[in-house]
Amino acid sequence: MTIFKKIIEGEIPADIVYEDEHCLAFRDVNPQAPTHILLIPKKEIASMAEAAQEDQNLLGHLLLRAKDIAAQEGLSKNGFRLVINTNEMAGQTVYHLHIHILGGRAMAWPPG
Ligand code: AMP
Protein backbone atom coordinates (compact mmCIF):
# COMPACT_ATOMS: atom_id res chain seq x y z
CA MET A 1 0.00 0.00 0.00
CA THR A 2 1.40 3.46 -0.83
CA ILE A 3 1.89 6.09 1.82
CA PHE A 4 -0.85 8.18 0.19
CA LYS A 5 -3.34 5.31 0.43
CA LYS A 6 -2.48 5.12 4.13
CA ILE A 7 -3.27 8.83 4.43
CA ILE A 8 -6.63 8.27 2.68
CA GLU A 9 -7.38 5.41 5.10
CA GLY A 10 -6.40 7.59 8.08
CA GLU A 11 -3.62 5.19 9.05
CA ILE A 12 -1.01 7.94 9.05
CA PRO A 13 -1.64 11.62 9.82
CA ALA A 14 -1.56 14.46 7.32
CA ASP A 15 -2.28 18.18 7.42
CA ILE A 16 -5.47 17.98 5.35
CA VAL A 17 -6.66 21.17 3.65
CA TYR A 18 -9.49 19.78 1.50
CA GLU A 19 -11.48 16.57 1.14
CA ASP A 20 -14.49 15.38 -0.82
CA GLU A 21 -15.75 11.97 -1.95
CA HIS A 22 -13.29 11.84 -4.86
CA CYS A 23 -10.11 13.48 -3.60
CA LEU A 24 -7.97 14.61 -0.70
CA ALA A 25 -5.47 17.46 -0.38
CA PHE A 26 -2.80 17.81 2.29
CA ARG A 27 0.42 19.75 2.86
CA ASP A 28 3.65 18.24 1.57
CA VAL A 29 5.97 17.18 4.44
CA ASN A 30 8.97 18.51 2.53
CA PRO A 31 7.68 21.77 1.04
CA GLN A 32 9.45 23.17 -2.01
CA ALA A 33 7.65 26.53 -1.84
CA PRO A 34 5.89 28.58 0.86
CA THR A 35 2.69 26.79 -0.18
CA HIS A 36 3.12 23.17 -1.26
CA ILE A 37 0.01 21.00 -1.25
CA LEU A 38 -0.55 17.55 -2.74
CA LEU A 39 -3.95 16.78 -4.25
CA ILE A 40 -4.69 13.10 -4.79
CA PRO A 41 -7.62 11.09 -6.11
CA LYS A 42 -9.05 8.56 -3.65
CA LYS A 43 -9.01 6.09 -6.53
CA GLU A 44 -5.65 4.36 -6.73
CA ILE A 45 -4.04 5.36 -10.04
CA ALA A 46 -0.29 4.72 -9.95
CA SER A 47 0.75 7.57 -12.23
CA MET A 48 -0.50 9.83 -15.00
CA ALA A 49 0.85 7.19 -17.40
CA GLU A 50 -1.73 4.76 -15.97
CA ALA A 51 -4.72 7.13 -16.23
CA ALA A 52 -7.52 5.83 -18.46
CA GLN A 53 -10.31 7.34 -20.50
CA GLU A 54 -12.73 6.34 -17.72
CA ASP A 55 -10.82 8.74 -15.43
CA GLN A 56 -11.74 11.77 -17.55
CA ASN A 57 -14.26 13.22 -15.10
CA LEU A 58 -12.03 12.51 -12.12
CA LEU A 59 -9.04 14.23 -13.73
CA GLY A 60 -11.16 17.25 -14.61
CA HIS A 61 -12.44 17.34 -11.04
CA LEU A 62 -8.88 17.29 -9.70
CA LEU A 63 -7.79 20.22 -11.87
CA LEU A 64 -10.77 22.33 -10.83
CA ARG A 65 -10.29 21.51 -7.14
CA ALA A 66 -6.57 22.35 -7.51
CA LYS A 67 -7.65 25.76 -8.81
CA ASP A 68 -10.02 26.20 -5.85
CA ILE A 69 -7.35 25.17 -3.33
CA ALA A 70 -4.88 27.61 -4.90
CA ALA A 71 -7.52 30.33 -4.53
CA GLN A 72 -8.20 29.31 -0.91
CA GLU A 73 -4.46 29.63 -0.24
CA GLY A 74 -4.42 33.12 -1.74
CA LEU A 75 -2.33 32.14 -4.76
CA SER A 76 -4.64 33.03 -7.64
CA LYS A 77 -3.53 36.60 -8.30
CA ASN A 78 0.24 36.13 -8.12
CA GLY A 79 0.17 32.68 -9.65
CA PHE A 80 0.85 29.08 -8.82
CA ARG A 81 2.21 25.97 -10.48
CA LEU A 82 0.58 22.55 -10.83
CA VAL A 83 2.99 19.65 -11.33
CA ILE A 84 2.42 15.95 -11.95
CA ASN A 85 5.71 14.07 -11.88
CA THR A 86 5.20 10.93 -13.91
CA ASN A 87 7.45 7.92 -13.53
CA GLU A 88 11.14 7.69 -12.89
CA MET A 89 12.82 10.32 -15.04
CA ALA A 90 10.33 12.96 -13.94
CA GLY A 91 11.19 12.24 -10.31
CA GLN A 92 8.01 10.48 -9.19
CA THR A 93 8.61 8.82 -5.82
CA VAL A 94 5.11 7.92 -4.65
CA TYR A 95 3.15 5.76 -7.09
CA HIS A 96 -0.28 7.18 -6.35
CA LEU A 97 -1.17 9.95 -8.81
CA HIS A 98 -0.81 13.39 -7.23
CA ILE A 99 -0.88 17.01 -8.30
CA HIS A 100 1.64 19.29 -6.60
CA ILE A 101 0.14 22.74 -5.97
CA LEU A 102 3.06 25.14 -5.51
CA GLY A 103 3.01 28.84 -4.83
CA GLY A 104 4.17 31.76 -2.76
CA ARG A 105 7.43 32.42 -4.59
CA ALA A 106 8.62 33.16 -8.12
CA MET A 107 9.45 30.03 -10.07
CA ALA A 108 11.99 29.34 -12.75
CA TRP A 109 11.45 27.76 -16.16
CA PRO A 110 12.58 25.28 -17.39
CA PRO A 111 12.14 23.13 -14.28
CA GLY A 112 15.15 21.21 -12.98
P1 AMP B 1 6.73 12.94 -6.20
O1 AMP B 1 8.23 13.01 -6.04
O2 AMP B 1 6.18 13.77 -7.32
O3 AMP B 1 6.26 11.50 -6.26
O4 AMP B 1 6.13 13.60 -4.89
C1 AMP B 1 5.95 12.92 -3.70
C2 AMP B 1 5.81 13.97 -2.65
O5 AMP B 1 5.22 13.38 -1.49
C3 AMP B 1 7.12 14.60 -2.19
O6 AMP B 1 7.06 16.00 -2.41
C4 AMP B 1 7.18 14.27 -0.69
O7 AMP B 1 7.73 15.30 0.08
C5 AMP B 1 5.73 14.02 -0.37
N1 AMP B 1 5.43 13.15 0.76
C6 AMP B 1 5.95 11.93 1.00
N2 AMP B 1 5.41 11.41 2.10
C7 AMP B 1 4.52 12.32 2.57
C8 AMP B 1 3.64 12.36 3.69
N3 AMP B 1 3.56 11.34 4.58
N4 AMP B 1 2.87 13.45 3.87
C9 AMP B 1 2.95 14.48 3.01
N5 AMP B 1 3.75 14.50 1.93
C10 AMP B 1 4.54 13.43 1.71
Side-chain angles (χ1 to χ4, degrees):
M1 193 191 286
T2 68
I3 197 155
F4 291 174
K5 180 66 173 173
K6 288 181 182 167
I7 290 173
I8 292 167
E9 300 291 334
E11 289 179 19
I12 62 168
D15 185 357
I16 293 170
V17 299
Y18 177 79
E19 181 169 15
D20 66 27
E21 63 178 310
H22 300 297
C23 64
L24 182 66
F26 50 91
R27 295 192 191 278
D28 196 296
V29 282
N30 183 24
Q32 301 301 312
T35 300
H36 187 173
I37 291 166
L38 301 172
L39 174 61
I40 67 173
K42 290 187 173 175
K43 178 180 177 182
E44 286 190 279
I45 301 170
S47 78
M48 201 53 218
E50 304 287 321
Q53 189 58 41
E54 68 180 28
D55 300 318
Q56 177 169 306
N57 287 348
L58 176 61
L59 293 171
H61 180 74
L62 288 171
L63 279 178
L64 290 170
R65 294 299 76 78
K67 179 263 299 184
D68 291 342
I69 292 163
Q72 187 179 299
E73 294 288 320
L75 302 175
S76 299
K77 183 169 178 290
N78 288 336
F80 56 91
R81 186 173 289 180
L82 304 180
V83 174
I84 306 176
N85 294 324
T86 302
N87 288 343
E88 196 177 344
M89 280 186 76
Q92 185 173 1
T93 59
V94 179
Y95 282 82
H96 182 121
L97 176 65
H98 49 282
I99 301 177
H100 295 261
I101 303 167
L102 297 147
R105 65 167 171 84
M107 294 188 197
W109 192 264

